[in-house]
Each structure stands twice: as structure tokens, then as C-alpha cells.
Coordinates of all heavy atoms in Angstrom, one line a residue:
P1 N -99.3 52.7 2.6 CA -98.5 51.5 2.2 C -97.1 51.8 2.1 O -96.7 52.8 1.6 CB -99.1 51.1 0.9 CG -100.5 51.7 0.8 CD -100.3 53.0 1.6
K2 N -96.2 50.8 2.5 CA -94.8 50.9 2.4 C -94.3 49.8 1.4 O -93.7 48.9 1.8 CB -94.2 50.8 3.8 CG -94.6 51.9 4.7 CD -94.0 51.6 6.1 CE -94.2 52.8 7.0 NZ -95.6 53.1 7.3
Y3 N -94.6 50.1 0.1 CA -94.3 49.1 -0.9 C -92.8 48.8 -1.1 O -92.3 47.7 -1.3 CB -94.8 49.5 -2.3 CG -96.3 49.6 -2.3 CD1 -97.0 50.7 -2.5 CD2 -97.1 48.4 -2.1 CE1 -98.4 50.8 -2.5 CE2 -98.5 48.4 -2.1 CZ -99.1 49.6 -2.3 OH -100.5 49.7 -2.3
A4 N -92.0 49.9 -1.0 CA -90.5 49.7 -1.1 C -90.0 48.8 0.0 O -89.1 48.0 -0.2 CB -89.8 51.1 -1.1
E5 N -90.5 49.0 1.2 CA -90.1 48.2 2.4 C -90.5 46.8 2.2 O -89.8 45.8 2.5 CB -90.6 48.8 3.7 CG -90.3 47.9 4.9 CD -88.8 47.6 5.1 OE1 -87.9 48.3 4.6 OE2 -88.5 46.6 5.8
M6 N -91.7 46.6 1.7 CA -92.3 45.2 1.4 C -91.3 44.5 0.4 O -91.0 43.4 0.6 CB -93.6 45.3 0.8 CG -94.2 44.0 0.4 SD -95.6 44.1 -0.8 CE -94.6 44.4 -2.3
C7 N -90.9 45.2 -0.6 CA -90.0 44.6 -1.6 C -88.6 44.3 -1.0 O -88.0 43.2 -1.3 CB -89.8 45.5 -2.8 SG -91.3 45.7 -3.8
R8 N -88.1 45.2 -0.2 CA -86.8 45.0 0.5 C -86.9 43.7 1.4 O -86.0 42.9 1.3 CB -86.4 46.2 1.3 CG -85.0 46.0 1.9 CD -84.9 46.8 3.3 NE -85.7 46.4 4.3 CZ -85.5 45.3 5.1 NH1 -84.5 44.5 4.9 NH2 -86.4 45.0 6.0
R9 N -88.0 43.6 2.1 CA -88.1 42.4 3.0 C -88.2 41.1 2.2 O -87.6 40.1 2.6 CB -89.3 42.6 3.9 CG -89.2 43.6 5.0 CD -90.4 43.7 5.8 NE -90.8 42.5 6.4 CZ -92.1 42.2 6.8 NH1 -93.0 43.1 6.6 NH2 -92.4 41.1 7.4
Y10 N -88.9 41.2 1.1 CA -89.1 40.0 0.3 C -87.8 39.5 -0.2 O -87.4 38.3 -0.2 CB -90.1 40.3 -0.9 CG -90.4 39.1 -1.7 CD1 -91.4 38.2 -1.4 CD2 -89.7 38.9 -2.9 CE1 -91.7 37.1 -2.2 CE2 -89.9 37.8 -3.7 CZ -91.0 36.9 -3.3 OH -91.2 35.8 -4.1
L11 N -87.0 40.4 -0.8 CA -85.7 40.1 -1.3 C -84.7 39.7 -0.2 O -83.9 38.7 -0.4 CB -85.1 41.2 -2.1 CG -85.9 41.6 -3.4 CD1 -85.4 42.9 -4.0 CD2 -85.9 40.4 -4.4
A12 N -84.7 40.3 0.9 CA -83.8 40.0 2.0 C -84.1 38.6 2.5 O -83.2 37.9 3.0 CB -83.9 41.0 3.1
D13 N -85.4 38.2 2.5 CA -85.7 36.8 3.0 C -85.0 35.7 2.2 O -84.7 34.7 2.7 CB -87.2 36.6 2.9 CG -88.0 37.2 4.1 OD1 -87.3 37.6 5.1 OD2 -89.2 37.3 4.0
E14 N -84.7 36.0 0.9 CA -84.1 35.0 0.1 C -82.7 34.6 0.7 O -82.3 33.5 0.7 CB -83.9 35.4 -1.3 CG -85.3 35.5 -2.0 CD -86.1 34.3 -2.0 OE1 -85.6 33.2 -2.4 OE2 -87.2 34.3 -1.5
E15 N -82.0 35.6 1.2 CA -80.7 35.4 1.8 C -80.8 35.0 3.3 O -80.2 34.0 3.7 CB -79.8 36.7 1.7 CG -78.5 36.5 2.3 CD -77.6 37.8 2.3 OE1 -77.9 38.6 1.4 OE2 -76.8 37.9 3.1
D16 N -81.7 35.6 4.0 CA -81.9 35.4 5.4 C -82.3 34.0 5.7 O -82.0 33.4 6.8 CB -82.9 36.4 6.1 CG -82.3 37.8 6.1 OD1 -81.1 38.0 5.8 OD2 -83.2 38.7 6.3
F17 N -83.2 33.4 4.8 CA -83.7 32.1 5.0 C -83.2 31.0 4.0 O -83.9 30.2 3.6 CB -85.2 32.1 5.0 CG -85.9 32.8 6.1 CD1 -86.2 34.2 6.0 CD2 -86.1 32.2 7.3 CE1 -86.7 34.8 7.1 CE2 -86.7 32.8 8.4 CZ -87.0 34.2 8.3
A18 N -81.9 31.2 3.6 CA -81.3 30.3 2.7 C -81.3 28.8 3.3 O -81.2 28.6 4.5 CB -79.9 30.7 2.4
K19 N -81.5 27.9 2.4 CA -81.5 26.5 2.8 C -80.3 26.1 3.6 O -80.5 25.3 4.6 CB -81.6 25.5 1.6 CG -82.9 25.7 0.8 CD -84.0 25.0 1.3 CE -85.3 25.1 0.4 NZ -86.5 24.9 1.1
E20 N -79.1 26.6 3.3 CA -77.9 26.2 4.0 C -78.0 26.7 5.5 O -77.5 26.1 6.4 CB -76.7 26.9 3.4 CG -76.5 26.6 1.9 CD -77.3 27.5 1.0 OE1 -77.3 28.7 1.1 OE2 -78.0 26.9 0.1
K21 N -78.6 27.9 5.7 CA -78.7 28.4 7.0 C -79.7 27.6 7.9 O -79.5 27.4 9.0 CB -79.2 29.9 7.0 CG -78.1 30.8 6.4 CD -78.6 32.3 6.4 CE -77.5 33.1 5.8 NZ -77.9 34.6 5.8
I22 N -80.8 27.1 7.2 CA -81.8 26.3 7.9 C -81.1 25.0 8.3 O -81.2 24.5 9.5 CB -83.0 26.0 7.0 CG1 -83.7 27.4 6.7 CG2 -83.9 25.0 7.6 CD1 -84.8 27.3 5.6
A23 N -80.4 24.4 7.4 CA -79.7 23.1 7.7 C -78.6 23.3 8.8 O -78.5 22.4 9.6 CB -79.0 22.6 6.4
K24 N -77.9 24.4 8.7 CA -76.8 24.6 9.7 C -77.4 24.7 11.1 O -76.7 24.3 12.1 CB -76.1 26.0 9.4 CG -75.0 26.3 10.3 CD -74.4 27.7 10.0 CE -73.4 28.1 11.1 NZ -73.2 29.5 11.1
L25 N -78.6 25.2 11.3 CA -79.2 25.2 12.6 C -79.9 23.9 13.0 O -80.5 23.8 14.1 CB -80.2 26.4 12.6 CG -79.6 27.8 12.6 CD1 -80.7 28.8 12.4 CD2 -78.8 28.0 13.8
G26 N -79.8 22.9 12.2 CA -80.3 21.6 12.5 C -81.8 21.5 12.4 O -82.4 20.6 12.9
I27 N -82.4 22.4 11.6 CA -83.9 22.3 11.3 C -84.1 21.3 10.2 O -83.7 21.6 9.1 CB -84.5 23.7 11.0 CG1 -84.2 24.6 12.2 CG2 -85.9 23.6 10.7 CD1 -84.6 26.1 11.9
T28 N -84.6 20.2 10.5 CA -84.8 19.1 9.5 C -86.2 19.0 9.0 O -86.4 18.4 8.0 CB -84.3 17.8 10.1 OG1 -85.1 17.5 11.3 CG2 -82.8 17.8 10.4
H29 N -87.2 19.5 9.8 CA -88.6 19.4 9.3 C -89.2 20.7 9.1 O -89.0 21.7 9.9 CB -89.4 18.6 10.4 CG -90.8 18.3 10.0 ND1 -91.1 17.3 9.2 CD2 -92.0 19.0 10.2 CE1 -92.4 17.3 8.9 NE2 -92.9 18.3 9.5
T30 N -89.9 20.9 8.0 CA -90.5 22.1 7.7 C -92.0 21.8 7.5 O -92.4 20.7 7.2 CB -90.0 22.8 6.5 OG1 -90.1 22.0 5.3 CG2 -88.5 23.1 6.6
Y31 N -92.8 22.9 7.6 CA -94.3 22.7 7.4 C -94.7 23.6 6.2 O -94.5 24.8 6.2 CB -95.0 23.2 8.7 CG -94.6 22.4 9.9 CD1 -93.5 22.7 10.7 CD2 -95.3 21.2 10.2 CE1 -93.2 22.0 11.8 CE2 -95.0 20.4 11.3 CZ -93.9 20.8 12.1 OH -93.5 20.1 13.2

């Protein structure tokens, strides 16, 4: 197991998938 990498990815996702970034790309519908 790579727990440290799992944690890094989880935290990075908060910035990588910020609502503003989703909106900027014109993605209006989510599932």
C-alpha cells in the first residue's frame, strides 16, 4: 500500500477539481 500517495492525491484533488475550475471549463452538469 502507498498510503502517503493516497493522502497526497486526496488533498491535491481539492485544488485540482475546485468548483471555479469546473465552471471555467463550461461544465454545467455533474453526476
Side-chain angles (χ1 to χ4, degrees):
K2 295 177 173 64
Y3 295 117
E5 175 55 20
M6 178 201 78
C7 291
R8 185 208 61 81
R9 286 178 58 205
Y10 184 85
L11 294 172
D13 279 349
E14 293 306 304
E15 181 180 333
D16 294 346
F17 291 95
K19 296 277 186 206
E20 307 81 52
K21 291 181 180 181
I22 294 167
K24 180 183 171 204
L25 290 173
I27 299 171
T28 57
H29 187 81
T30 63
Y31 299 90

